[in-house]
Amino acid sequence: MIPLVSRAIVAISTSLALSIVVKMTVIMAVALFAARLARGSRAAVRHSVLATAFGAALVIPIACLVAPPVNVAVPVMAESLTATLPPLGGIEPIPFFTPADARVSVISVEPPAPRHSFSDVLLAGWIAGTVLFLLPMAIGLWQIRSLRRSGLPWPRGQAVVEAIARDVGIQRRVKVLLHEALPGPMTCGVLHPAIVLSRDAEDWEGDDLSCAIAHELEHVRRGDSVTRCLAWVACAVYWFHPLVWIGWRRLVLEAERSCDDAVLRRSEATAYAEQLVDLAKRMSMARRSPLLAMADHRDLAIRVGAVLDSGQRRGRLGTFSVALACAAALVLVVAVAPLLLVAAPQATLSPQPAFEVASIRAVRAPSSVENSPNGQFHIGISIDGSRADYGFMSLAELIPYAYGVKQYQVSGPSWMDETRWDILAKIPQGQSTNRAPEMMQRLLMERFKLSIHREKRDRSVYALVIGKGGLKIKEAAAEEQASGPQPAGIGLRMNNDRNAAVISGRTVGSMRLTTGPNGGMQMEIGKITMAALADRVTQFMDRPVVDATHLKGSYQVTLELPPDAMNGIAFVQKLAILAGSGSVGVGFANPNALDTSDAAMIQAVKRLGLELQSRKAPVETIIVDRVEKTPTAN
């Protein structure tokens, strides 16, 4: 898919407002096209189509909010997914240490800026425009109310209205008023309708008066006052959209033509056309008309041409036809509202690689390190040459690794963390180990039938900031600065003596694990960036931790944890992450371990002169649409 289209799809998939506008565009375009196809039919048919479209435009935002989303994956180029998403609320991608094959992206929360984001300015402009365009309707309603209160009753006109109303089937009483400020007839009121005529109507001939009143009574029968007001509200909401204003102009015109057709049932076409021309002259010479007046002299030529066209189909719209139009609009809203375009990244440079062979075996989690088989077991990822070993990992951990995100960025079934797997795979000859995550994607799709999509979701995060008392750690010496990502192959093995930890593979700088004076553990890291530290601390917390310190260097860090934070398997997995296996997630065998170590890590961070502050941030999230509990056979 071309980059421009890819960028548009990504923008739509991450913005509710854009999604609503796109769906409204589809609805209005369909309505205008249908009205175009029905140009040879009755004006009432075209008006009904356009009126239901405006109603759907008002309903679509509510439907988008309440309807369960139906995701429609659209393939886009992978670079479009990352390169086109603008920073939101001061959140930008930042680099952090991870094994070279993980390619994980993470977010960073900046302190609240005094200026508003571009999206906030656009939203404010949208709301301001809506209010501005609603003002004419409010002023028009006030003008109509004033005209009605100051108008004078006209007995002769009232008698004509009552006679025609009985003939057309209107049971309600419709008042007739005269007002010197009006250049022509108009209808107002919903529950208590009234027809207001100009003062010179007293001098009109009987046929002219009957035609004018028949036209206005048709507006009353059809409820055009309500339709017009609702359509104007839709125009105010979507004031920036040209299709809405095109639809508005067509709606007003078709309403007038529908009422003209009603007049022609009792009047000769030529005489009525002459009356329309005279009315247009009076309206063009008038200094002003009420803002919500029905007739518009600019449509005179079209109306007169339609009146004089003997081949034009005319007539009212029956109840069944109105119900059919409403049902069609409802079906369109129900079909369109739940749809959510989501970007499905596709490889652009080469086909997705796959493991040459892979063996998947379910393993049962030991209750503690001491009870593990043979006194020793492997946790994490170890890649040595063509051998890729994924030990004791759940789907909740394999999916983040495969797609280059953190575990908190994956949303799927809760059971994904229940079963753990040992996966032994062979990387094809000549294939870089850096593409092992892509091979894991292929394995998950083929063996576990995994299907995903991506979207942005707001969630609570911890922002790592410098404490009030200042930083209490030292910057690492220049010769000890981290040189960048190290090769993959980091895992962890714990012996029966849980104080003895053996790190297999290379780690981030120098790291030493020692037992503290109170029986806890001290983790001494010779050099680590703040972004990498935030990534490690995340593994101990109930929410993401993102770097907001603005510190660019590497630091010497000693984290002290009390004994109750070291709880069996959960702690061992966290320790594997902290040791450097940044692509591995955390599965908690004992839920209480999370609460205990969470509080312990908060205190440990404070002793470094750092703090964790709660904030909200949009986080790119992988949504698991489908995944099987059991893989296909080896």
Side-chain angles (χ1 to χ4, degrees):
M1 188 172 292
I2 61 176
L4 183 60
V5 177
S6 297
R7 294 189 183 99
I9 291 172
V10 171
I12 293 170
S13 66
T14 56
S15 171
L16 176 62
L18 279 177
S19 179
I20 291 173
V21 171
V22 169
K23 293 168 185 176
M24 186 281 300
T25 302
V26 171
I27 291 174
M28 193 57 64
V30 169
L32 288 172
F33 182 70
R36 175 73 176 174
L37 291 179
R39 59 183 179 274
S41 184
R42 293 167 290 174
V45 172
R46 297 189 294 274
H47 180 272
S48 178
V49 170
L50 294 169
T52 53
F54 276 101
L58 290 176
V59 172
I60 198 70
I62 302 173
C64 289
L65 291 173
V66 301
V70 176
N71 299 310
V72 179
V74 181
V76 300
M77 289 183 289
E79 59 268 24
S80 298
L81 191 60
T82 56
T84 63
L85 287 176
L88 299 176
I91 299 171
E92 300 179 352
I94 62 170
F96 73 103
F97 175 81
T98 187
D101 65 334
R103 295 181 301 167
V104 182
S105 61
V106 73
I107 59 172
S108 173
V109 175
E110 302 291 342
R115 60 185 179 87
H116 296 286
S117 66
F118 183 65
S119 58
D120 292 337
V121 174
L122 286 179
L123 180 60
W126 188 345
I127 296 174
T130 300
V131 174
L132 184 63
F133 278 88
L134 283 175
L135 284 178
M137 188 179 77
I139 294 173
L141 292 174
W142 178 81
Q143 289 176 340
I144 290 174
R145 184 172 182 270
S146 299
L147 288 172
R148 183 166 180 166
R149 295 181 64 180
S150 57
L152 300 175
W154 187 29
R156 177 193 164 199
Q158 188 69 50
V160 175
V161 164
E162 291 175 357
I164 298 178
R166 287 193 299 269
D167 184 43
V168 299
I170 298 177
Q171 303 298 325
R172 294 179 293 170
R173 185 173 187 272
V174 181
K175 291 184 178 180
V176 179
L177 303 173
L178 295 176
H179 203 290
E180 59 185 6
L182 278 182
M186 68 169 292
T187 302
C188 59
V190 178
L191 298 178
H192 304 287
I195 297 174
V196 186
L197 303 170
S198 59
R199 288 299 298 269
D200 62 356
E202 294 177 309
D203 301 326
W204 291 359
E205 296 181 0
D207 289 343
D208 291 343
L209 180 61
S210 296
C211 289
I213 289 180
H215 181 99
E216 300 304 321
L217 280 176
E218 186 67 10
H219 280 307
V220 173
R221 189 192 67 83
R222 291 161 42 87
D224 285 336
S225 295
V226 177
T227 304
R228 189 180 179 94
C229 287
L230 291 178
W232 186 268
V233 171
C235 290
V237 173
Y238 303 103
W239 55 269
F240 51 84
H241 205 299
L243 286 184
V244 172
W245 294 109
I246 294 173
W248 164 263
R249 185 68 183 272
R250 289 294 305 273
L251 179 78
V252 174
L253 174 61
E254 299 302 344
E256 295 300 321
R257 290 186 58 181
S258 297
C259 295
D260 291 340
D261 291 346
V263 174
L264 293 178
R265 292 199 303 268
R266 59 191 313 116
S267 177
E268 196 272 326
T270 303
Y272 183 56
E274 292 177 355
Q275 185 180 358
L276 289 179
V277 173
D278 292 339
L279 175 62
K281 290 179 180 178
R282 290 197 300 272
M283 294 185 66
S284 62
M285 291 186 296
R287 289 182 298 177
R288 63 176 183 175
S289 297
L291 293 178
L292 294 184
M294 294 283 183
D296 190 336
H297 66 278
R298 292 174 297 179
D299 297 327
L300 172 66
I302 299 176
R303 291 177 61 189
V304 170
V307 166
L308 296 177
D309 185 1
S310 58
Q312 176 67 49
R313 296 180 61 186
R314 310 183 193 280
R316 295 177 176 177
L317 203 62
T319 303
F320 175 77
S321 299
V322 174
L324 184 62
C326 293
L330 180 62
V331 169
L332 188 58
V333 170
V334 172
V336 171
L339 297 183
L340 178 63
L341 294 179
V342 294
Q346 303 293 313
T348 57
L349 299 179
S350 61
Q352 188 177 34
F355 291 118
E356 187 173 323
V357 293
S359 171
I360 305 176
R361 180 172 61 94
V363 291
R364 186 171 60 89
S367 59
S368 66
V369 175
E370 291 81 356
N371 296 328
S372 62
N374 303 322
Q376 187 180 79
F377 65 95
H378 173 238
I379 295 177
I381 303 170
S382 177
I383 299 179
D384 184 10
S386 63
R387 176 189 173 96
D389 186 359
Y390 302 87
F392 197 64
M393 296 183 67
S394 67
L395 287 173
E397 298 160 353
L398 290 168
I399 294 174
Y401 160 77
Y403 289 92
V405 297
K406 303 301 178 59
Q407 188 173 355
Y408 63 78
Q409 292 177 269
V410 176
S411 176
S414 58
W415 54 259
M416 292 196 309
D417 205 28
E418 293 176 358
T419 305
R420 299 193 170 274
W421 308 90
D422 280 345
I423 300 177
L424 185 61
K426 182 180 180 180
I427 297 175
Q429 185 177 3
Q431 190 66 261
S432 171
T433 58
N434 291 346
R435 305 195 72 181
E438 297 177 67
M439 300 179 197
M440 179 57 69
Q441 289 183 29
R442 182 92 171 258
L443 183 145
L444 292 173
M445 287 187 290
E446 293 179 351
R447 304 288 294 274
F448 288 91
K449 309 304 179 185
L450 176 67
S451 174
I452 63 107
H453 74 272
R454 300 180 186 238
E455 63 183 58
K456 287 275 187 176
R457 288 188 174 180
D458 285 338
R459 64 170 299 165
S460 299
V461 300
Y462 278 126
L464 182 67
V465 299
I466 300 175
K468 296 180 180 179
L471 207 59
K472 299 178 183 178
I473 54 178
K474 296 181 180 180
E475 192 166 359
E479 61 272 13
E480 296 179 354
Q481 292 292 323
S483 58
Q486 302 295 324
I490 299 169
L492 181 70
R493 294 186 184 276
M494 292 292 290
N495 296 325
N496 284 341
D497 179 5
R498 70 178 180 183
N499 289 330
V502 179
I503 306 297
S504 64
R506 281 174 276 187
T507 63
V508 187
S510 58
M511 176 176 177
R512 186 171 60 174
L513 308 176
T514 60
T515 302
N518 61 347
M521 177 161 293
Q522 289 184 337
M523 287 169 278
E524 300 178 14
I525 306 175
K527 51 182 177 286
I528 189 170
T529 63
M530 290 295 104
L533 179 62
D535 178 43
R536 304 298 184 265
V537 173
T538 293
Q539 310 301 327
F540 288 80
M541 312 302 290
D542 62 350
R543 68 184 73 174
V545 178
V546 293
D547 176 32
T549 62
H550 303 288
L551 298 175
K552 303 301 181 183
S554 297
Y555 293 83
Q556 300 175 6
V557 173
T558 299
L559 287 169
E560 300 179 4
L561 294 177
D564 61 358
M566 299 182 292
N567 191 310
I569 300 301
F571 173 74
V572 173
Q573 290 176 298
K574 296 175 188 178
L575 187 59
I577 304 302
L578 203 66
S581 186
S583 62
V584 184
V586 179
F588 298 100
N590 181 354
N592 295 327
L594 175 62
D595 299 332
T596 304
S597 56
D598 192 349
M601 185 55 70
I602 290 176
Q603 294 303 318
V605 168
K606 282 187 177 180
R607 286 191 285 270
L608 303 178
L610 300 167
E611 291 182 3
L612 297 174
Q613 295 181 354
S614 295
R615 295 182 185 171
K616 285 281 189 179
V619 178
E620 182 180 319
T621 304
I622 285 183
I623 311 300
V624 177
D625 298 317
R626 178 193 175 191
V627 65
E628 299 289 341
K629 289 187 176 182
T630 304
T632 56
N634 292 320

